[in-house]
Amino acid sequence: MNASDQVIAYAEADFSSGDHSFVERLLELIDHFCSTLPPGSLILDLGCGPGNISERLAACLPLSEVIGIDGASSMISMANQKLFCRRPAITNLNYQLVDLSHYCLDDIQDIKGASVIVSNSFLHHLHAPQTLWASVKQLSAPNALMLHRDLRRPSNELEVDALCDRYVSEAPSVLQRDFRASLKAAFTVDEVSEQLELAGLSQFKVKEIGDRYLEVCGWW
């Protein structure tokens, strides 16, 4: 997502409610499974975009090292501009330009061994969804915590229309267009379960969230 109109629209859009919900869910999982993360734990935000969630993670978990990863140079540039304005309040966050579909992850040692790997609305952007699950396996430390949230594909065009009317009817045209395209490109719970089975990650749980999302979480 390098088009200038897309980058500006996503940077200016208010996703705070969803971002807050995502981070709260991660903190809930951490509290439930391990109560706290050891100092220096590496957290990866895959497909971080302009860094909204990465910033929240860094602020909520200041003893951890957070790295936001995205394959779009314009998104990483925007994220770094925002981070520059937040320093020195946030010092445990960095961004890297990495296209997971093309990089050899064995050559990127500083983003391996993550204790937590997250992504938000990233899976449906991938032409080959196994890219995400293969990356998770390569980048995680033993017993790493995973949380991935994405849109869930509606069953028909009428549902697509209803969701667009409900959530983006007053949004800029580029966001309306992208939301509709993303809904159609997204996966169902059954499809993601099949992806995880193929990747050898069937221990991850997949469930529906609200009227348009699905969630994948578990320990690797």
Side-chain angles (χ1 to χ4, degrees):
M1 191 181 295
N2 266 317
S4 59
D5 60 337
Q6 288 179 304
V7 174
I8 293 171
Y10 277 87
E12 293 180 347
D14 182 8
F15 298 115
S16 57
S17 177
D19 295 343
H20 176 77
S21 170
F22 183 90
V23 173
E24 285 296 303
R25 175 60 173 151
L26 179 64
L27 296 177
E28 175 186 297
L29 290 171
I30 292 172
D31 183 64
H32 178 73
F33 286 111
C34 56
S35 72
T36 187
L37 289 175
S41 295
L42 175 60
I43 300 173
L44 298 181
D45 180 12
L46 306 183
C48 66
N52 298 346
I53 285 178
S54 301
E55 285 190 7
R56 286 177 179 267
L57 292 173
C60 291
L61 299 165
L63 299 182
S64 298
E65 177 189 0
V66 180
I67 299 179
I69 295 170
D70 203 280
S73 58
S74 53
M75 284 294 185
I76 291 296
S77 177
M78 180 68 70
N80 276 318
Q81 290 176 36
K82 291 171 56 185
L83 180 58
F84 179 81
C85 296
R86 296 293 304 276
R87 295 194 188 278
I90 295 179
T91 59
N92 60 323
L93 171 60
N94 290 284
Y95 295 105
Q96 290 196 23
L97 178 63
V98 176
D99 184 342
L100 296 175
S101 300
H102 298 97
Y103 270 74
C104 175
L105 297 180
D106 288 334
D107 295 334
I108 314 174
Q109 296 300 322
D110 58 338
I111 63 172
K112 299 186 75 173
S115 298
V116 177
I117 299 182
V118 304
S119 70
N120 185 50
S121 294
F122 179 49
L123 179 61
H124 73 272
H125 285 290
L126 298 170
H127 295 297
Q130 284 298 325
T131 298
L132 175 58
W133 310 125
S135 299
V136 163
K137 294 172 70 173
Q138 287 185 271
L139 298 175
S140 62
N143 300 315
L145 173 63
M146 308 293 164
L147 176 62
H148 305 278
R149 184 176 292 180
D150 208 324
L151 290 169
R152 184 176 77 244
R153 190 174 73 249
S155 58
N156 55 58
E157 193 72 22
L158 288 177
E159 289 187 16
V160 172
D161 291 341
L163 289 171
C164 289
D165 288 341
R166 190 175 305 153
Y167 293 108
V168 296
S169 60
E170 298 182 2
S173 59
V174 63
L175 295 186
Q176 294 185 37
R177 180 195 68 205
D178 284 359
F179 184 67
R180 178 176 291 274
S182 293
L183 286 171
K184 293 182 176 182
F187 300 98
T188 66
V189 166
D190 287 343
E191 287 170 342
V192 174
S193 295
E194 291 175 3
Q195 294 170 16
L196 293 170
E197 182 75 27
L198 182 62
L201 296 171
S202 56
Q203 74 273 26
F204 284 8
K205 296 180 179 179
V206 189
K207 64 178 182 179
E208 295 185 353
I209 302 292
D211 61 356
R212 65 195 190 281
Y213 291 112
L214 59 79
E215 175 187 281
V216 180
C217 68
W219 293 91
W220 163 240

PDB file of all heavy atoms in Angstrom, residues 188-203:
ATOM      1  N   THR A 188     -12.703 -16.691   5.468  1.00  0.00           N
ATOM      2  CA  THR A 188     -13.662 -17.153   6.468  1.00  0.00           C
ATOM      3  C   THR A 188     -12.919 -17.868   7.589  1.00  0.00           C
ATOM      4  O   THR A 188     -11.736 -18.213   7.454  1.00  0.00           O
ATOM      5  CB  THR A 188     -14.675 -18.121   5.845  1.00  0.00           C
ATOM      6  OG1 THR A 188     -13.985 -19.321   5.433  1.00  0.00           O
ATOM      7  CG2 THR A 188     -15.374 -17.492   4.642  1.00  0.00           C
ATOM      8  N   VAL A 189     -13.614 -18.116   8.674  1.00  0.00           N
ATOM      9  CA  VAL A 189     -13.015 -18.854   9.793  1.00  0.00           C
ATOM     10  C   VAL A 189     -12.569 -20.245   9.330  1.00  0.00           C
ATOM     11  O   VAL A 189     -11.472 -20.699   9.681  1.00  0.00           O
ATOM     12  CB  VAL A 189     -14.010 -18.950  10.966  1.00  0.00           C
ATOM     13  CG1 VAL A 189     -13.557 -19.988  11.983  1.00  0.00           C
ATOM     14  CG2 VAL A 189     -14.167 -17.593  11.639  1.00  0.00           C
ATOM     15  N   ASP A 190     -13.378 -20.906   8.551  1.00  0.00           N
ATOM     16  CA  ASP A 190     -13.024 -22.252   8.076  1.00  0.00           C
ATOM     17  C   ASP A 190     -11.780 -22.211   7.192  1.00  0.00           C
ATOM     18  O   ASP A 190     -10.910 -23.097   7.285  1.00  0.00           O
ATOM     19  CB  ASP A 190     -14.185 -22.868   7.293  1.00  0.00           C
ATOM     20  CG  ASP A 190     -15.336 -23.286   8.196  1.00  0.00           C
ATOM     21  OD1 ASP A 190     -15.122 -23.398   9.421  1.00  0.00           O
ATOM     22  OD2 ASP A 190     -16.449 -23.498   7.680  1.00  0.00           O
ATOM     23  N   GLU A 191     -11.676 -21.198   6.351  1.00  0.00           N
ATOM     24  CA  GLU A 191     -10.502 -21.095   5.474  1.00  0.00           C
ATOM     25  C   GLU A 191      -9.234 -20.853   6.277  1.00  0.00           C
ATOM     26  O   GLU A 191      -8.176 -21.438   5.992  1.00  0.00           O
ATOM     27  CB  GLU A 191     -10.720 -19.975   4.462  1.00  0.00           C
ATOM     28  CG  GLU A 191     -11.737 -20.330   3.380  1.00  0.00           C
ATOM     29  CD  GLU A 191     -12.128 -19.148   2.523  1.00  0.00           C
ATOM     30  OE1 GLU A 191     -11.902 -17.981   2.939  1.00  0.00           O
ATOM     31  OE2 GLU A 191     -12.682 -19.368   1.430  1.00  0.00           O
ATOM     32  N   VAL A 192      -9.312 -19.998   7.295  1.00  0.00           N
ATOM     33  CA  VAL A 192      -8.130 -19.749   8.120  1.00  0.00           C
ATOM     34  C   VAL A 192      -7.769 -21.001   8.921  1.00  0.00           C
ATOM     35  O   VAL A 192      -6.587 -21.324   9.088  1.00  0.00           O
ATOM     36  CB  VAL A 192      -8.362 -18.542   9.051  1.00  0.00           C
ATOM     37  CG1 VAL A 192      -7.196 -18.376  10.016  1.00  0.00           C
ATOM     38  CG2 VAL A 192      -8.526 -17.269   8.226  1.00  0.00           C
ATOM     39  N   SER A 193      -8.753 -21.728   9.400  1.00  0.00           N
ATOM     40  CA  SER A 193      -8.481 -22.982  10.104  1.00  0.00           C
ATOM     41  C   SER A 193      -7.737 -23.960   9.189  1.00  0.00           C
ATOM     42  O   SER A 193      -6.801 -24.647   9.628  1.00  0.00           O
ATOM     43  CB  SER A 193      -9.792 -23.613  10.590  1.00  0.00           C
ATOM     44  OG  SER A 193     -10.415 -22.794  11.560  1.00  0.00           O
ATOM     45  N   GLU A 194      -8.124 -24.015   7.931  1.00  0.00           N
ATOM     46  CA  GLU A 194      -7.438 -24.876   6.963  1.00  0.00           C
ATOM     47  C   GLU A 194      -6.012 -24.398   6.727  1.00  0.00           C
ATOM     48  O   GLU A 194      -5.088 -25.218   6.601  1.00  0.00           O
ATOM     49  CB  GLU A 194      -8.218 -24.898   5.653  1.00  0.00           C
ATOM     50  CG  GLU A 194      -9.551 -25.606   5.736  1.00  0.00           C
ATOM     51  CD  GLU A 194     -10.350 -25.499   4.450  1.00  0.00           C
ATOM     52  OE1 GLU A 194      -9.818 -24.909   3.471  1.00  0.00           O
ATOM     53  OE2 GLU A 194     -11.487 -25.998   4.404  1.00  0.00           O
ATOM     54  N   GLN A 195      -5.816 -23.084   6.655  1.00  0.00           N
ATOM     55  CA  GLN A 195      -4.471 -22.543   6.497  1.00  0.00           C
ATOM     56  C   GLN A 195      -3.569 -22.953   7.659  1.00  0.00           C
ATOM     57  O   GLN A 195      -2.410 -23.355   7.470  1.00  0.00           O
ATOM     58  CB  GLN A 195      -4.521 -21.013   6.412  1.00  0.00           C
ATOM     59  CG  GLN A 195      -5.202 -20.457   5.188  1.00  0.00           C
ATOM     60  CD  GLN A 195      -5.414 -18.965   5.291  1.00  0.00           C
ATOM     61  OE1 GLN A 195      -4.813 -18.289   6.126  1.00  0.00           O
ATOM     62  NE2 GLN A 195      -6.314 -18.424   4.468  1.00  0.00           N
ATOM     63  N   LEU A 196      -4.101 -22.856   8.863  1.00  0.00           N
ATOM     64  CA  LEU A 196      -3.323 -23.201  10.056  1.00  0.00           C
ATOM     65  C   LEU A 196      -3.008 -24.690  10.097  1.00  0.00           C
ATOM     66  O   LEU A 196      -1.895 -25.089  10.483  1.00  0.00           O
ATOM     67  CB  LEU A 196      -4.087 -22.780  11.309  1.00  0.00           C
ATOM     68  CG  LEU A 196      -4.259 -21.266  11.498  1.00  0.00           C
ATOM     69  CD1 LEU A 196      -5.237 -20.984  12.628  1.00  0.00           C
ATOM     70  CD2 LEU A 196      -2.931 -20.586  11.771  1.00  0.00           C
ATOM     71  N   GLU A 197      -3.965 -25.499   9.696  1.00  0.00           N
ATOM     72  CA  GLU A 197      -3.731 -26.947   9.652  1.00  0.00           C
ATOM     73  C   GLU A 197      -2.605 -27.266   8.680  1.00  0.00           C
ATOM     74  O   GLU A 197      -1.702 -28.051   8.986  1.00  0.00           O
ATOM     75  CB  GLU A 197      -5.023 -27.649   9.217  1.00  0.00           C
ATOM     76  CG  GLU A 197      -4.934 -29.164   9.184  1.00  0.00           C
ATOM     77  CD  GLU A 197      -4.967 -29.787  10.571  1.00  0.00           C
ATOM     78  OE1 GLU A 197      -5.553 -29.176  11.486  1.00  0.00           O
ATOM     79  OE2 GLU A 197      -4.396 -30.895  10.731  1.00  0.00           O
ATOM     80  N   LEU A 198      -2.623 -26.637   7.512  1.00  0.00           N
ATOM     81  CA  LEU A 198      -1.591 -26.846   6.503  1.00  0.00           C
ATOM     82  C   LEU A 198      -0.228 -26.383   6.999  1.00  0.00           C
ATOM     83  O   LEU A 198       0.800 -26.985   6.694  1.00  0.00           O
ATOM     84  CB  LEU A 198      -1.973 -26.097   5.224  1.00  0.00           C
ATOM     85  CG  LEU A 198      -1.033 -26.241   4.029  1.00  0.00           C
ATOM     86  CD1 LEU A 198      -0.955 -27.693   3.586  1.00  0.00           C
ATOM     87  CD2 LEU A 198      -1.496 -25.360   2.873  1.00  0.00           C
ATOM     88  N   ALA A 199      -0.212 -25.311   7.793  1.00  0.00           N
ATOM     89  CA  ALA A 199       1.050 -24.754   8.292  1.00  0.00           C
ATOM     90  C   ALA A 199       1.578 -25.474   9.531  1.00  0.00           C
ATOM     91  O   ALA A 199       2.668 -25.163  10.003  1.00  0.00           O
ATOM     92  CB  ALA A 199       0.857 -23.273   8.623  1.00  0.00           C
ATOM     93  N   GLY A 200       0.818 -26.429  10.048  1.00  0.00           N
ATOM     94  CA  GLY A 200       1.236 -27.110  11.271  1.00  0.00           C
ATOM     95  C   GLY A 200       1.007 -26.271  12.507  1.00  0.00           C
ATOM     96  O   GLY A 200       1.727 -26.395  13.500  1.00  0.00           O
ATOM     97  N   LEU A 201      -0.007 -25.407  12.448  1.00  0.00           N
ATOM     98  CA  LEU A 201      -0.318 -24.515  13.569  1.00  0.00           C
ATOM     99  C   LEU A 201      -1.763 -24.717  14.030  1.00  0.00           C
ATOM    100  O   LEU A 201      -2.441 -23.772  14.427  1.00  0.00           O
ATOM    101  CB  LEU A 201      -0.104 -23.046  13.152  1.00  0.00           C
ATOM    102  CG  LEU A 201       1.321 -22.650  12.788  1.00  0.00           C
ATOM    103  CD1 LEU A 201       1.352 -21.246  12.191  1.00  0.00           C
ATOM    104  CD2 LEU A 201       2.230 -22.712  14.011  1.00  0.00           C
ATOM    105  N   SER A 202      -2.211 -25.950  14.003  1.00  0.00           N
ATOM    106  CA  SER A 202      -3.608 -26.223  14.328  1.00  0.00           C
ATOM    107  C   SER A 202      -3.929 -25.989  15.798  1.00  0.00           C
ATOM    108  O   SER A 202      -5.106 -25.994  16.181  1.00  0.00           O
ATOM    109  CB  SER A 202      -3.972 -27.663  13.943  1.00  0.00           C
ATOM    110  OG  SER A 202      -3.101 -28.592  14.573  1.00  0.00           O
ATOM    111  N   GLN A 203      -2.894 -25.782  16.633  1.00  0.00           N
ATOM    112  CA  GLN A 203      -3.162 -25.478  18.035  1.00  0.00           C
ATOM    113  C   GLN A 203      -3.703 -24.061  18.225  1.00  0.00           C
ATOM    114  O   GLN A 203      -4.238 -23.728  19.279  1.00  0.00           O
ATOM    115  CB  GLN A 203      -1.895 -25.660  18.886  1.00  0.00           C
ATOM    116  CG  GLN A 203      -0.825 -24.588  18.740  1.00  0.00           C
ATOM    117  CD  GLN A 203       0.143 -24.869  17.594  1.00  0.00           C
ATOM    118  OE1 GLN A 203      -0.207 -25.541  16.629  1.00  0.00           O
ATOM    119  NE2 GLN A 203       1.361 -24.347  17.714  1.00  0.00           N
TER     120      GLN A 203
END
